[in-house]
Amino acid sequence: MEIPPKSPDGSEKSPQSKELLTSNTASTLCISSRSESVWTSASRSKWDIYHKPVIVVSVGAAVFLFGMVITSLSCIQTKNKTVYKMCGPAFLSLGLMLLVCGLVWIPIIRKKQKQRQKSQFLQSLKSFFFNR
């Protein structure tokens, strides 16, 4: 039977136990995680949840309208017609892409929120029945 070596400060703890004591715990993991809403149960406002897709939809709509203006200028003006014909459809397609991405993002967030609520409900039921 082998006796674990004593540490320099005279305590009987092995290096493995010291390593376990100084390891990262869930609380430090919570601080360093990207999405703290998973760990904390603080309710968030609708703007906090939907601000990114709303911004993407707004920018997409603005770029799409700008593309429509540029494309219509190619029909009206005769000067720089080729530039307008090249840039107009590019802004139209970029704006439409951003608009569609933002509009698709909103239902995805709603579905994720419902799943998170179901998960929290099931966790509370589980803890209620198993902590008796």
Side-chain angles (χ1 to χ4, degrees):
M1 189 166 160
E2 194 174 304
I3 299 172
K6 283 191 174 183
S7 61
D9 63 351
S11 67
E12 295 289 327
K13 292 181 181 177
S14 66
Q16 290 87 9
S17 64
K18 283 186 179 181
E19 193 174 290
L20 289 174
L21 289 175
T22 60
S23 67
N24 289 341
T25 60
S27 61
T28 57
L29 183 63
C30 173
I31 293 168
S32 65
S33 71
R34 258 197 295 171
S35 59
E36 290 185 19
S37 64
V38 173
W39 297 95
T40 59
S41 61
S43 62
R44 295 171 23 185
S45 68
K46 295 283 186 185
W47 175 250
D48 288 340
I49 296 170
Y50 294 110
H51 75 277
K52 289 179 185 177
V54 166
I55 291 171
V56 170
V57 167
S58 302
V59 169
V63 171
F64 184 75
L65 289 174
F66 182 69
M68 285 178 58
V69 169
I70 297 285
T71 305
S72 63
L73 281 176
S74 69
C75 298
I76 296 170
Q77 286 192 341
T78 56
K79 190 177 181 182
N80 295 331
K81 195 171 189 172
T82 56
V83 174
Y84 292 138
K85 279 191 174 182
M86 284 186 349
C87 292
F91 282 111
L92 274 171
S93 62
L94 182 66
L96 188 62
M97 181 183 67
L98 287 172
L99 189 67
V100 169
C101 285
L103 289 174
V104 168
W105 196 356
I106 291 173
I108 292 172
I109 290 177
R110 283 186 184 154
K111 187 175 181 181
K112 193 182 287 188
Q113 290 292 322
K114 285 181 183 177
Q115 285 177 348
R116 188 172 290 151
Q117 286 173 352
K118 286 180 186 176
S119 172
Q120 288 173 352
F121 176 71
L122 290 175
Q123 287 290 336
S124 65
L125 271 177
K126 191 176 182 182
S127 66
F128 175 74
F129 285 115
F130 288 124
N131 289 337
R132 286 184 168 205

